[in-house]
Structure formats: structure tokens, C-alpha cells
Amino acid sequence: MTMHSKAYIFKQQQLLVDNDFQLPLVERLWDDLNLSTDGEVIARDLKEDELIPEGYQLVPIRQLVQVWSRPQFEEACRAVQLLEWRRNHRYCSHCGHPAQQHVTQYSMVCTSCGYSQYPRINPCVITIVTRGKDEILLAKHTRTKTQMYTLIAGFVEVGETLEDAVRREIQEEVGLQVKNIQYLASQPWPFPSNLMLAFKAEYHAGDIQIAEHELSDARFFRFDQLPEIPFKGSIAHAMIMHVMHGTPVADDSKEWL
């Protein structure tokens, strides 16, 4: 009997789903990446010459965060990141020989020297800065084509604590000093392999001076005068709702609020 698996089939950052945003069931191939021990869930790349099946479409992952539950989105994040890891580590970074995926773990093992290359995650801090009881700091990125304002975020550097990264990013991008830094939650963000670590902090000192190569605008907005903000399903949206309404950033039901 032929076994069919639930499949995450990607073309770059787009996922193959039907009109109801459901995944296809496909016959397993020898080079599929198993996401479950029983092989019931797999991931693969859509080949360049492969046609999109009738009734299916390629949808950007960012769009799915708005219609899927948190567990569904997290599994998709895991799938696309593991595919990219396998694709980018086909050769050993030590000696250059071909690498093969380990049979029982996510490791690309060199066929010559035996060196193992494991998936990597890039930690990023994202911070909501409050001033007083009814203001939050929002910024507009230079690369943004819409009028959306969002929170300050950036990668954690080598040798840095998460709190140091929060202070540095706020200082570098808007010239402000913050205090009372508190961890809130986290969210996988596969663009390409990031883990967003959410913090809130209070304004301490300084005047806004934007890093013009990064931002086109930044200012404190009153709760009742917010501009366009990130879409529901993103951790930035949940953080803003948390500060304004006291809702949790993520709850035990694993739904993004």
C-alpha cells in the first residue's frame, strides 16, 4: 500500500496549499525531509520544472501567519528552515567534500572527514518601548513600501546578552536610552532562520535621532493615535496589544493573539 504524507512543499518562501490553505497529501520520495519519526509529515522543495497541481497555489509564508494557528505556522517555519539548512550545507565547510544527512538526526555529515553541520538559528531582539502610561515608540523602515510603523528589532551580536542587544539596538536606531527591560515571549520567524525574542522597556533618556540608513521616521505615538501597525499574527502586533490592553503576548492555547 502506498503511504501518503502531509507535505510542506516550498518554492523559496512560498508554500503550496489549496484554496482553503490546507497542505497536500503526497507519495513520499527517497529524498524528502522527514518532520516526524513515522514519516507522516515531510518537506521538500518544488522543482523548477514542476507544475503546480490543479486546485493548489503558492502562498507567501507571511500571509499564512494571519490565517493559521500558531502550531501550524511554527511547523511551517520548522519545515522551511530545515530545507534551507540542508540546501546550504551540501558540502563540508571544513574540507569541501560532499555531505549527507544523518539517518536519525538533523545533521549534515561530511563523507570524508565526518564533520557535522547542524541547523542554526539567528536570535533577534524586538522591543516595545513605552513612555508614560499611554505612549509607545514606533518606527518606519526605509525599505517599507507601505505606511506601516513597527517596533525596533535587530540581531544579537556575538558576546552580547539579550538585554545588551536591546539597549544597543534602541541606541543605534533611535538614539534613546531605556530601562526596566523585561522578556515577554518568542516567535520563530523563518526569514530566513530567525528567532524573535520579544522584550518591553521603558524610555529613560535622550531625544530621537534616527539611523537614516535604517529608518525614515520614528516617534512616540499615543494609544489612541496609532498609525498603521503590523498585522495580527505577528509577534509585533501581539506586543502592541499587550501594552495597550494587557493581553498576553502568547497564551497556553498556542494561538497568537
Side-chain angles (χ1 to χ4, degrees):
M1 179 181 296
T2 301
M3 180 177 178
H4 288 79
S5 303
K6 182 175 72 171
Y8 290 90
I9 303 177
F10 289 93
K11 186 172 185 179
Q12 298 176 347
Q13 290 288 333
Q14 297 184 93
L15 179 63
L16 188 70
V17 293
D18 65 16
N19 294 328
D20 295 319
F21 301 105
Q22 299 301 304
L23 297 170
L25 292 175
V26 301
E27 185 176 345
R28 289 211 315 257
L29 303 177
W30 70 271
D31 59 344
D32 285 339
L33 196 155
N34 286 324
L35 298 178
S36 61
T37 55
D38 55 13
E40 291 185 356
V41 185
I42 60 96
R44 70 172 67 146
D45 288 311
L46 188 71
K47 296 180 174 60
E48 287 297 324
D49 59 349
E50 192 172 355
L51 297 177
I52 297 175
E54 185 177 352
Y56 285 85
Q57 58 184 326
L58 288 170
V59 175
I61 308 177
R62 289 177 185 268
Q63 182 178 333
L64 295 172
V65 74
Q66 302 177 65
V67 297
W68 276 4
S69 69
R70 182 182 171 191
Q72 286 177 302
F73 180 70
E74 287 180 347
E75 189 171 56
C77 290
R78 181 167 172 258
V80 71
Q81 290 178 80
L82 285 172
L83 283 174
E84 179 163 347
W85 154 75
R86 189 175 70 172
R87 191 184 313 118
N88 292 340
H89 292 84
R90 292 178 298 171
Y91 297 93
C92 178
S93 61
H94 276 192
C95 68
H97 282 81
Q100 294 181 345
Q101 186 179 335
H102 194 280
V103 176
T104 61
Q105 58 182 273
Y106 295 123
S107 172
M108 294 296 288
V109 183
C110 179
T111 55
S112 178
C113 70
Y115 178 68
S116 294
Q117 301 173 103
Y118 295 92
R120 294 184 179 181
I121 299 171
N122 304 315
C124 303
V125 292
I126 180 169
T127 308
I128 186 163
V129 179
T130 62
R131 187 173 68 178
K133 296 182 179 180
D134 63 350
E135 288 186 315
I136 57 174
L137 177 69
L138 295 172
K140 186 173 183 293
H141 290 279
T142 55
R143 63 181 180 274
T144 302
K145 297 180 180 179
T146 68
Q147 293 303 311
M148 185 183 74
Y149 281 70
T150 188
L151 305 178
I152 302 296
F155 291 102
V156 180
E157 294 186 354
V158 173
E160 228 176 15
T161 66
L162 298 176
E163 292 81 4
D164 285 343
V166 168
R167 296 186 189 96
R168 176 184 54 76
E169 284 293 335
I170 299 297
Q171 178 68 47
E172 287 180 354
E173 296 203 13
V174 292
L176 300 180
Q177 297 176 35
V178 295
K179 61 181 180 179
N180 297 332
I181 299 171
Q182 300 177 46
Y183 172 77
L184 293 176
S186 63
Q187 181 184 31
W189 201 241
F191 306 105
S193 297
N194 303 339
L195 177 64
M196 304 301 295
L197 302 156
F199 290 85
K200 66 178 178 179
E202 297 175 13
Y203 166 80
H204 178 59
D207 297 320
I208 293 178
Q209 298 179 10
I210 65 171
E212 295 183 354
H213 63 287
E214 291 279 350
L215 306 175
S216 59
D217 189 26
R219 64 182 95 160
F220 283 95
F221 290 88
R222 289 174 54 91
F223 291 172
D224 59 356
Q225 297 177 344
L226 294 184
E228 181 184 345
I229 62 173
F231 51 80
K232 183 178 181 181
S234 66
I235 198 169
H237 182 276
M239 293 166 68
I240 294 170
M241 294 302 104
H242 167 74
V243 167
M244 291 178 57
H245 305 298
T247 53
V249 178
D251 65 11
D252 291 339
S253 69
K254 297 202 79 178
E255 299 286 342
W256 286 106
L257 303 178

